Amino acid sequence: MRASTRAVRGTPGRRAAARRRLVAAAFLLPALVLLGALVVQPIGFSLYRSLFDRSGDSFVGTANYTAIVRDPAIRTALRNTALWVAVAPAVATGLGLVFAVLTERVRWGTAFKLLVFMPMAISMLAAGIIFRLVYDHDPHRGVANAVVVGVHDAFAPSSAFPKARPGRDSPLEPAGDGAFVTREPVRAGVPALLPLVGVAPEALPEGARTAVGARPVPGQVTGTVWQDFTRGGGGAVNVVDPAETGLAGMRIEAVKDGRTVAAATARADGTFTLPAAADGARLRLPASNFREAYAGVEWLGPVLVTPAVIGAYVWMWAGFAMVLIGAGLAAVPRELLEAARVDGAGEWQVFRRITVPLLAPVLVVVLVTLVINVMKVFDLVFVIAPGAVQDDANVLALQLYRTSFGTDADQGLGSAIAVLLLVLVVPVMLVNIRRIRKEARR
């Protein structure tokens, strides 16, 4: 009797619970339908399609997965993807942590955060175009090489005469290592002639003037170094003609027995003067006069193209990391930091032993998010890497596109690459889900 009474009393409760489950299922049904149509069905079809050949008519089993291992382009994509996963999230998270900590201590920290976060408002396509220009090899267009060339030339300036050379019947001859030397020793009181050709008129140094023949000076060696070429024709070989230009700034050295005994620099009109010690020496134009201009770094060459594209990615996503870490940093109890400082801990010790451990959950969130993101990176590599080196910068997402929709499309192999990419992402997603559940239990 009592059991039946309890059953009667429990029936409305079970009905209410069942009704709540039905209501919840009704609200979840549209999302589940969309999830199935947009996620589950494409995954299932990709897995099914990966078991068939290029045409989709013949079942090939795991042949497409075997081809992944054998294809050198896909192996390169796997290697580059591994490099992306190892470097890009760690660098972006590290920079975000540094920016978040430092901007807490400066008055204009908000403005700095805005500037760092601003690249997130730019699409990947636009960022790729920007960095394609930044990495341009021409220092007059590429900002990166403009900086590198500027710094290099500040310490090791290039010559204004990289193409200069002796002409026919010249009194100069090669001396090895790019230098030139006079065939005969020079004498005091007898002007020396050092004619060169091969310098473009527009490449002549600023301030260069019309060349003049040096006047003899007793007890000293004088001479002229000039561009022995008259525009429009005319002029005599190895003779200073009125329409020819002095090579201002050219260094001239007097050499005796393999030792430099005197040196001078050509004036604006190409003339120079050496002391009496140069009498009987041979004049040398050292190789530094003909050093090629430094062209900068080949950022988009086969060696550096992947690090260059990773740099563009870090520029975009460091702001994302900074904002999330900054939000976590705002929740860190200040009492702990102040207590550590009062106990004598330095700023580095406070950062390493208190700030970073307390921010560990946020750092894991940022790191996992960026790892998943870099596994799918496509547009930056596609836009920044030139066609000639795109194979060297290849990643799995780009290889998936090229294999499935390129000129020699193979959707069976492309589906296998898609399944491989999913398999690589799933462990990271599981780690993230486990972390979320662990946080929920606290």
Side-chain angles (χ1 to χ4, degrees), residues 65-91:
Y65 295 96
T66 306
I68 289 177
V69 179
R70 295 176 178 173
D71 192 323
I74 300 178
R75 289 203 302 268
T76 300
L78 278 168
R79 185 170 59 251
N80 287 340
T81 301
L83 179 63
W84 271 86
V85 170
V87 175
V91 174

Side-chain angles (χ1 to χ4, degrees), residues 38-63:
L38 300 179
V39 178
V40 178
Q41 190 275 336
I43 291 175
F45 180 76
S46 295
L47 181 59
Y48 170 80
R49 184 66 179 84
S50 68
L51 303 176
F52 288 80
D53 66 352
R54 183 189 304 266
S55 64
D57 298 328
S58 301
F59 180 81
V60 295
T62 59

